[in-house]
Amino acid sequence: MGALALAAVVLTPVAANATKEPTPAPTVSSPVDADGLGGLATESIAYGSHQRQNMDVWWTPDGQQRPGIFLVHGGWWSSGDKKYMTEITRSYAELGYTVFNLNYRLSGDAAWPAQRTDALTAIATARKHADRWAFDPGNYVVVGFSAGGHIAAAVGTYGDGINGLKGVVGLSPIISPLRAYSDGEKSTDPNKRKLRTAAIRLAGGCAPKGKCSRVWASMEVAWHASRKDAPMLTVHSDHEFVPPVQSQLLKQMLGQVGVPVTVFTAPGINHSAPLYREPGVAERVQAWIAERIG
């Protein structure tokens, strides 16, 4: 892990509004339930000018302010789409939350920290227009899967706390791209080798040394721990290619500043969404979220 020392530099935070925030323009607006039985509504909103800077919003249009959940899909930072999160989005909307299902610029579109900036801008857009979606802007969590878990956790340790953010959940989150870089160097596991390559691409195509040490340091979630960061829950399989040790450093660093981190492990090798579908995992996540935002 000698690469860690190479990137130990002080960073200037990237502004959450670095991407210009437009007035939300619905591109889709229709009842989720065609028969109106669920009382849900949905629309797709652009929060930036890039085609990937958009999100689906699911809410109950009854005039009540409801806690919010922001979902961030996975896909090696280079692929994936919010459409694969539709089932999970619906499940939380049916529990009574206002749900924001995000797309964001992929690593082929822009290097880090564009992905974190997009998540922050989406949150800022949702909070600014909270009344539109019956959303309580002071009460929400961010839930991310795999690479999306990295983005979610990076939001959780951004600056010295984000207004209204009450918690972060990561399913197989890549907390340390540097650890993934090191683990994949000599591994025979094709997923670990692919993750190493994906982390390099996220950093703009360079290894964690020299002038590139700065961006790699920015990608390290645990290095940005501060006392006003959001509590976190992370879930890993015991033997998946993003192992629980990824989250143990985060637990240690956030614990030093008094922020609780719960690391839950499940047996097996399932990763990300398949892990979430394991018996009892979704229920555990839902219970943790309910404890924080109701």
Side-chain angles (χ1 to χ4, degrees), residues 74-93:
W76 310 93
W77 299 288
S78 61
S79 61
D81 190 272
K82 59 184 171 59
K83 66 184 179 182
Y84 301 118
M85 303 295 294
T86 299
E87 179 183 345
I88 294 173
T89 302
R90 176 188 285 275
S91 71
Y92 282 105

Side-chain angles (χ1 to χ4, degrees), residues 138-142 162-168 230-232 288 292-293:
N139 194 28
Y140 60 90
V141 299
V142 182
I162 304 295
N163 287 338
L165 179 60
K166 304 301 185 184
V168 170
M232 297 197 194
W288 190 91
R292 271 129 196 98
I293 62 174

Side-chain angles (χ1 to χ4, degrees), residues 49-100:
S49 58
H50 192 277
Q51 63 179 357
R52 292 280 310 179
Q53 292 171 319
N54 61 82
M55 59 184 171
D56 297 336
V57 188
W58 296 49
W59 79 102
T60 304
D62 58 2
Q64 299 183 37
Q65 278 196 329
R66 294 171 178 269
I69 295 179
F70 292 82
L71 295 176
V72 190
H73 71 79
W76 310 93
W77 299 288
S78 61
S79 61
D81 190 272
K82 59 184 171 59
K83 66 184 179 182
Y84 301 118
M85 303 295 294
T86 299
E87 179 183 345
I88 294 173
T89 302
R90 176 188 285 275
S91 71
Y92 282 105
E94 289 177 343
L95 288 173
Y97 298 102
T98 294
V99 187
F100 302 87

Side-chain angles (χ1 to χ4, degrees), residues 11-289:
L11 299 176
T12 301
V14 178
N17 60 356
T19 300
K20 184 178 179 182
E21 179 191 322
T23 300
T27 54
V28 177
S29 183
S30 62
V32 174
D33 187 330
D35 298 318
L37 299 177
L40 298 175
T42 184
E43 63 183 352
S44 292
I45 295 296
Y47 63 83
S49 58
H50 192 277
Q51 63 179 357
R52 292 280 310 179
Q53 292 171 319
N54 61 82
M55 59 184 171
D56 297 336
V57 188
W58 296 49
W59 79 102
T60 304
D62 58 2
Q64 299 183 37
Q65 278 196 329
R66 294 171 178 269
I69 295 179
F70 292 82
L71 295 176
V72 190
H73 71 79
W76 310 93
W77 299 288
S78 61
S79 61
D81 190 272
K82 59 184 171 59
K83 66 184 179 182
Y84 301 118
M85 303 295 294
T86 299
E87 179 183 345
I88 294 173
T89 302
R90 176 188 285 275
S91 71
Y92 282 105
E94 289 177 343
L95 288 173
Y97 298 102
T98 294
V99 187
F100 302 87
N101 183 16
L102 276 58
N103 268 348
Y104 51 88
R105 284 172 292 172
L106 303 175
S107 58
D109 303 316
W112 185 265
Q115 297 70 29
R116 180 183 62 193
T117 298
D118 284 358
L120 291 166
T121 305
I123 291 170
T125 301
R127 297 184 73 235
K128 181 176 180 180
H129 303 278
D131 289 346
R132 179 187 186 109
W133 302 301
F135 166 48
D136 179 356
N139 194 28
Y140 60 90
V141 299
V142 182
V143 181
F145 292 73
S146 189
H150 171 253
I151 297 167
V155 168
T157 60
Y158 180 77
D160 192 20
I162 304 295
N163 287 338
L165 179 60
K166 304 301 185 184
V168 170
V169 179
L171 281 302
S172 305
I174 302 151
I175 297 299
S176 174
L178 275 171
R179 179 65 183 249
Y181 175 87
S182 298
D183 286 352
E185 183 174 11
K186 297 180 180 179
S187 176
T188 58
D189 184 331
N191 285 322
K192 287 188 176 183
R193 296 184 69 85
K194 182 176 179 179
L195 185 57
R196 172 186 164 93
T197 300
I200 293 171
R201 187 176 185 185
L202 180 66
C206 57
K209 58 184 178 181
K211 65 179 181 179
C212 291
S213 62
R214 186 180 180 87
V215 67
W216 280 86
S218 178
M219 288 157 50
E220 288 296 294
V221 174
W223 292 5
H224 302 276
S226 59
R227 63 184 182 85
K228 293 185 180 179
D229 289 341
M232 297 197 194
L233 167 68
T234 66
V235 186
H236 298 264
S237 292
D238 284 328
H239 302 293
E240 65 162 300
F241 69 93
V242 181
V245 69
Q246 281 268 347
S247 290
Q248 292 299 334
L249 175 61
L250 179 66
K251 183 174 182 177
Q252 176 186 349
M253 296 296 286
L254 280 174
Q256 290 176 4
V257 294
V259 178
V261 175
T262 301
V263 181
F264 173 67
T265 59
I269 61 172
N270 278 338
H271 172 78
S272 190
L275 170 59
Y276 184 77
R277 291 192 290 267
E278 282 284 299
V281 173
E283 291 80 6
R284 180 180 289 265
V285 170
Q286 290 165 5
W288 190 91
I289 290 172

